[in-house]
Protein backbone atom coordinates (compact mmCIF):
# COMPACT_ATOMS: atom_id res chain seq x y z
CA UNK A 1 0.00 0.00 0.00
CA UNK A 2 1.26 3.46 -0.92
CA UNK A 3 0.50 6.50 1.23
CA UNK A 4 1.79 10.07 1.38
CA UNK A 5 3.06 11.55 4.63
CA UNK A 6 3.03 15.36 4.70
CA UNK A 7 6.45 16.98 4.67
CA UNK A 8 5.90 19.74 7.19
CA UNK A 9 7.23 20.66 10.65
CA UNK A 10 4.17 19.47 12.55
CA UNK A 11 4.65 18.48 16.19
CA UNK A 12 5.11 14.79 16.97
CA UNK A 13 1.64 14.56 18.48
CA UNK A 14 0.04 15.37 15.13
CA UNK A 15 -0.36 12.42 12.76
CA UNK A 16 -1.38 12.91 9.13
CA UNK A 17 -1.49 10.95 5.90
CA UNK A 18 -3.05 10.89 2.44
CA UNK A 19 -3.96 7.65 0.73
CA UNK A 20 -3.22 6.94 -2.91
CA UNK A 21 -5.17 4.55 -5.12
CA UNK A 22 -2.59 1.79 -4.65
CA UNK A 23 -2.82 -1.26 -2.44
CA UNK A 24 -6.53 -1.92 -2.03
CA UNK A 25 -9.12 -4.48 -3.09
CA UNK A 26 -11.52 -2.53 -5.31
CA UNK A 27 -11.84 -3.57 -8.95
CA UNK A 28 -12.53 -1.94 -12.32
CA UNK A 29 -13.01 1.84 -12.28
CA UNK A 30 -12.24 2.02 -8.54
CA UNK A 31 -8.91 0.19 -8.66
CA UNK A 32 -7.75 -0.27 -6.01
CA UNK A 33 -7.78 1.59 -2.65
CA UNK A 34 -11.10 3.39 -3.05
CA UNK A 35 -12.31 4.73 0.31
CA UNK A 36 -15.65 6.25 -0.73
CA UNK A 37 -18.95 4.43 -0.30
CA UNK A 38 -20.93 6.78 -2.55
CA UNK A 39 -19.21 6.26 -5.92
CA UNK A 40 -20.72 2.93 -7.00
CA UNK A 41 -18.03 0.62 -5.64
CA UNK A 42 -18.82 -2.59 -3.75
CA UNK A 43 -19.38 -1.60 -0.11
CA UNK A 44 -17.55 -4.68 1.19
CA UNK A 45 -14.48 -3.73 -0.85
CA UNK A 46 -14.58 -0.20 0.56
CA UNK A 47 -14.90 -1.53 4.10
CA UNK A 48 -11.92 -3.83 3.59
CA UNK A 49 -9.93 -0.94 2.13
CA UNK A 50 -10.62 1.08 5.25
CA UNK A 51 -9.52 -1.84 7.40
CA UNK A 52 -6.25 -2.06 5.47
CA UNK A 53 -5.61 1.67 5.75
CA UNK A 54 -6.63 1.77 9.40
CA UNK A 55 -4.22 -1.04 10.21
CA UNK A 56 -1.36 0.57 8.30
CA UNK A 57 -1.84 3.99 9.91
CA UNK A 58 -2.85 2.57 13.30
CA UNK A 59 -5.88 4.80 13.35
CA UNK A 60 -7.01 5.29 16.95
CA UNK A 61 -10.73 5.37 16.11
CA UNK A 62 -13.23 5.38 13.28
CA UNK A 63 -12.53 8.39 11.07
CA UNK A 64 -15.02 11.22 10.82
CA UNK A 65 -16.47 10.79 7.34
CA UNK A 66 -18.29 13.68 5.68
CA UNK A 67 -21.04 14.09 3.14
CA UNK A 68 -19.20 16.73 1.13
CA UNK A 69 -21.38 19.15 -0.84
CA UNK A 70 -18.79 21.70 -2.07
CA UNK A 71 -19.93 24.09 0.63
CA UNK A 72 -18.31 26.01 3.47
CA UNK A 73 -19.63 24.32 6.62
CA UNK A 74 -17.28 22.96 9.29
CA UNK A 75 -18.14 20.36 11.93
CA UNK A 76 -16.35 19.21 15.05
CA UNK A 77 -15.20 15.69 14.26
CA UNK A 78 -16.36 12.76 16.36
CA UNK A 79 -15.63 9.04 16.47
CA UNK A 80 -19.23 7.85 16.59
CA UNK A 81 -19.42 6.59 13.01
CA UNK A 82 -22.01 9.19 11.97
CA UNK A 83 -21.43 10.76 8.55
CA UNK A 84 -21.89 14.52 8.88
CA UNK A 85 -22.70 16.99 6.11
CA UNK A 86 -19.83 19.47 5.81
CA UNK A 87 -16.71 20.18 3.80
CA UNK A 88 -14.29 20.49 6.69
CA UNK A 89 -13.89 19.02 10.15
CA UNK A 90 -11.95 20.17 13.22
CA UNK A 91 -10.86 18.60 16.49
CA UNK A 92 -9.01 19.55 19.64
CA UNK A 93 -9.44 16.09 21.13
CA UNK A 94 -6.96 13.23 21.13
CA UNK A 95 -7.64 10.18 18.92
CA UNK A 96 -10.34 11.86 16.80
CA UNK A 97 -9.56 11.46 13.11
CA UNK A 98 -10.51 14.37 10.84
CA UNK A 99 -10.98 13.17 7.26
CA UNK A 100 -11.86 14.52 3.82
CA UNK A 101 -12.18 12.69 0.48
CA UNK A 102 -10.88 13.98 -2.84
CA UNK A 103 -10.33 13.05 -6.48
CA UNK A 104 -9.14 16.39 -7.98
CA UNK A 105 -10.34 18.83 -5.32
CA UNK A 106 -7.67 20.06 -2.94
CA UNK A 107 -7.32 18.55 0.55
CA UNK A 108 -5.87 20.97 3.09
CA UNK A 109 -4.60 19.75 6.47
CA UNK A 110 -4.12 22.28 9.26
CA UNK A 111 -2.62 21.95 12.72
CA UNK A 112 -1.43 24.11 15.58
CA UNK A 113 2.29 24.45 16.16
CA UNK A 114 1.70 23.25 19.72
CA UNK A 115 -0.16 20.20 18.50
CA UNK A 116 -3.47 20.64 20.29
CA UNK A 117 -5.74 21.34 17.30
CA UNK A 118 -6.20 19.87 13.81
CA UNK A 119 -8.53 20.21 10.84
CA UNK A 120 -9.08 18.69 7.41
CA UNK A 121 -10.58 20.79 4.61
CA UNK A 122 -12.13 19.75 1.29
CA UNK A 123 -11.35 22.68 -1.02
CA UNK A 124 -13.12 22.34 -4.32
CA UNK A 125 -13.41 25.58 -6.24
CA UNK A 126 -16.88 26.41 -4.88
CA UNK A 127 -15.91 25.90 -1.26
CA UNK A 128 -12.57 27.62 -1.71
CA UNK A 129 -14.15 30.66 -3.32
CA UNK A 130 -16.97 30.62 -0.77
CA UNK A 131 -14.75 30.75 2.31
CA UNK A 132 -14.38 27.19 3.63
CA UNK A 133 -10.73 27.87 4.50
CA UNK A 134 -11.55 30.91 6.64
CA UNK A 135 -14.41 29.01 8.30
CA UNK A 136 -12.11 26.14 9.22
CA UNK A 137 -9.44 28.46 10.60
CA UNK A 138 -12.07 30.27 12.69
CA UNK A 139 -12.55 27.07 14.71
CA UNK A 140 -9.00 27.21 16.07
CA UNK A 141 -8.19 28.70 19.45
CA UNK A 142 -4.61 29.29 18.31
CA UNK A 143 -3.90 32.46 16.39
CA UNK A 144 -3.53 31.89 12.63
CA UNK A 145 0.17 32.74 12.80
CA UNK A 146 0.54 29.73 15.12
CA UNK A 147 -0.96 27.33 12.56
CA UNK A 148 0.59 25.19 9.84
CA UNK A 149 -1.15 24.20 6.60
CA UNK A 150 -0.29 21.47 4.11
CA UNK A 151 -1.72 21.16 0.60
CA UNK A 152 -2.32 17.63 -0.64
CA UNK A 153 -2.66 16.20 -4.16
CA UNK A 154 -5.12 17.97 -6.47
CA UNK A 155 -5.65 18.78 -10.12
CA UNK A 156 -2.93 21.06 -11.51
CA UNK A 157 -3.43 24.21 -13.55
CA UNK A 158 -2.74 22.73 -17.02
CA UNK A 159 -5.60 20.24 -16.53
CA UNK A 160 -8.10 22.43 -14.67
CA UNK A 161 -9.97 24.42 -17.29
CA UNK A 162 -12.84 26.50 -15.91
CA UNK A 163 -15.43 28.94 -17.19
CA UNK A 164 -16.09 32.59 -16.49
CA UNK A 165 -18.32 31.74 -13.52
CA UNK A 166 -15.35 30.27 -11.66
CA UNK A 167 -13.06 33.14 -12.63
CA UNK A 168 -15.60 35.74 -11.46
CA UNK A 169 -16.28 33.86 -8.22
CA UNK A 170 -12.64 34.18 -7.20
CA UNK A 171 -12.30 37.78 -8.37
CA UNK A 172 -15.16 38.59 -6.00
CA UNK A 173 -12.81 37.77 -3.11
CA UNK A 174 -10.66 40.81 -3.76
CA UNK A 175 -9.56 42.82 -1.87
CA UNK A 176 -9.98 40.29 0.95
CA UNK A 177 -7.48 37.91 -0.62
CA UNK A 178 -5.15 40.65 -1.80
CA UNK A 179 -5.13 42.61 -5.02
CA UNK A 180 -7.08 41.78 -8.15
CA UNK A 181 -3.70 41.17 -9.78
CA UNK A 182 -2.84 38.46 -7.22
CA UNK A 183 -6.09 36.59 -7.85
CA UNK A 184 -5.88 37.13 -11.60
CA UNK A 185 -2.37 35.65 -11.61
CA UNK A 186 -3.87 32.32 -10.54
CA UNK A 187 -5.69 32.05 -13.89
CA UNK A 188 -4.29 31.51 -17.37
CA UNK A 189 -6.68 32.59 -20.10
CA UNK A 190 -6.96 30.02 -22.90
CA UNK A 191 -9.99 31.31 -24.83
CA UNK A 192 -12.43 34.21 -24.60
CA UNK A 193 -14.39 32.61 -21.77
CA UNK A 194 -12.09 29.84 -20.56
CA UNK A 195 -9.23 29.82 -18.06
CA UNK A 196 -6.88 27.32 -16.47
CA UNK A 197 -7.09 27.73 -12.69
CA UNK A 198 -4.24 27.17 -10.25
CA UNK A 199 -6.06 25.77 -7.22
CA UNK A 200 -2.84 25.51 -5.20
CA UNK A 201 -2.08 29.21 -5.59
CA UNK A 202 -5.69 30.15 -4.86
CA UNK A 203 -5.55 28.11 -1.65
CA UNK A 204 -2.34 29.84 -0.62
CA UNK A 205 -4.05 33.21 -1.10
CA UNK A 206 -6.99 32.08 1.02
CA UNK A 207 -4.73 30.76 3.77
CA UNK A 208 -2.55 33.87 3.75
CA UNK A 209 -5.62 36.11 3.87
CA UNK A 210 -6.68 34.27 7.04
CA UNK A 211 -3.30 34.83 8.63
CA UNK A 212 -1.50 31.53 8.01
CA UNK A 213 2.00 32.08 6.70
CA UNK A 214 3.46 28.59 7.19
CA UNK A 215 2.11 26.78 4.11
CA UNK A 216 3.61 23.54 2.81
CA UNK A 217 2.95 20.96 0.11
CA UNK A 218 1.15 21.51 -3.17
CA UNK A 219 2.04 20.53 -6.69
CA UNK A 220 1.15 16.83 -6.82
CA UNK A 221 -1.30 16.50 -9.72
CA UNK A 222 -4.10 13.96 -9.49
CA UNK A 223 -5.01 14.24 -13.19
CA UNK A 224 -1.48 13.64 -14.48
CA UNK A 225 -0.72 10.52 -12.41
CA UNK A 226 -3.37 7.82 -13.05
CA UNK A 227 -1.29 5.12 -11.36
CA UNK A 228 -1.20 6.98 -8.05
CA UNK A 229 -4.33 9.12 -7.90
CA UNK A 230 -8.01 9.10 -8.66
CA UNK A 231 -9.20 11.96 -10.88
CA UNK A 232 -12.87 12.68 -11.46
CA UNK A 233 -12.15 15.07 -14.32
CA UNK A 234 -9.94 12.50 -16.07
CA UNK A 235 -12.03 9.37 -15.51
CA UNK A 236 -15.57 10.31 -14.52
CA UNK A 237 -16.50 7.20 -12.56
CA UNK A 238 -13.66 6.71 -10.12
CA UNK A 239 -12.72 6.30 -6.47
CA UNK A 240 -11.63 8.73 -3.79
CA UNK A 241 -8.48 9.24 -1.73
CA UNK A 242 -8.66 10.12 1.96
CA UNK A 243 -6.67 12.83 3.73
CA UNK A 244 -6.54 12.25 7.48
CA UNK A 245 -5.19 14.14 10.49
CA UNK A 246 -5.46 13.51 14.23
CA UNK A 247 -3.83 14.13 17.58
CA UNK A 248 -2.14 11.09 19.10
Amino acid sequence: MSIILPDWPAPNTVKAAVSTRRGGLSAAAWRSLNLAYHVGDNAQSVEKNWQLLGSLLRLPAAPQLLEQVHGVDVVHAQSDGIIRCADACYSDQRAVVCTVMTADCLPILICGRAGGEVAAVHAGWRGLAGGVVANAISQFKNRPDQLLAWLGPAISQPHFEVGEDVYRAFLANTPGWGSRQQVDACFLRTRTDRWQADIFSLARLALSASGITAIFGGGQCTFADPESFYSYRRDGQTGRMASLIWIS
Side-chain angles (χ1 to χ4, degrees), residues 5 12 15 24 73 76 90 95 97 112 114 151 160 177 179 192 197 201 208 226 229:
L5 300 178
N12 291 333
K15 307 301 179 183
D73 288 343
H76 283 224
Y90 161 91
V97 184
L151 311 182
F160 190 27
W177 285 18
S179 68
T192 301
S201 293
S208 297
F229 302 120

Side-chain angles (χ1 to χ4, degrees), residues 50-119:
W50 270 112
Q51 291 171 5
L52 289 170
L53 184 65
S55 177
L56 177 67
L57 297 179
R58 298 181 181 179
L59 294 182
Q64 173 65 75
L65 301 183
L66 302 177
E67 178 187 352
Q68 298 170 186
V69 294
H70 297 274
V72 300
D73 288 343
V74 184
V75 297
H76 283 224
Q78 299 186 48
S79 302
D80 54 12
I82 296 175
I83 298 175
R84 293 174 167 82
C85 185
D87 282 85
C89 51
Y90 161 91
S91 180
D92 59 0
Q93 303 296 309
R94 292 182 63 252
V96 175
V97 184
C98 296
T99 310
V100 292
M101 302 280 196
T102 58
D104 280 337
C105 293
L106 176 63
I108 304 175
L109 301 179
I110 305 171
C111 74
R113 293 181 186 272
E117 300 178 276
V118 295

Side-chain angles (χ1 to χ4, degrees), residues 119-199:
V121 182
H122 166 244
W125 76 261
R126 288 182 179 85
L128 188 55
V132 68
V133 166
N135 286 357
I137 293 170
S138 73
Q139 305 298 311
F140 283 78
K141 303 176 186 71
N142 281 286
R143 300 192 316 269
D145 63 359
Q146 293 301 306
L147 303 179
L148 310 173
W150 182 80
L151 311 182
I155 191 168
S156 65
Q157 186 171 20
H159 302 290
F160 190 27
E161 187 176 69
V162 300
E164 188 167 359
D165 57 333
V166 179
Y167 178 64
R168 296 297 175 189
F170 282 101
L171 282 184
N173 287 302
T174 57
W177 285 18
S179 68
R180 178 188 176 97
Q181 288 75 19
Q182 286 177 295
V183 175
D184 192 68
C186 298
F187 291 86
L188 177 64
R189 193 167 197 152
T190 57
R191 299 197 298 275
T192 301
D193 59 348
R194 306 297 290 177
W195 287 262
Q196 290 173 336
D198 185 346
I199 198 167

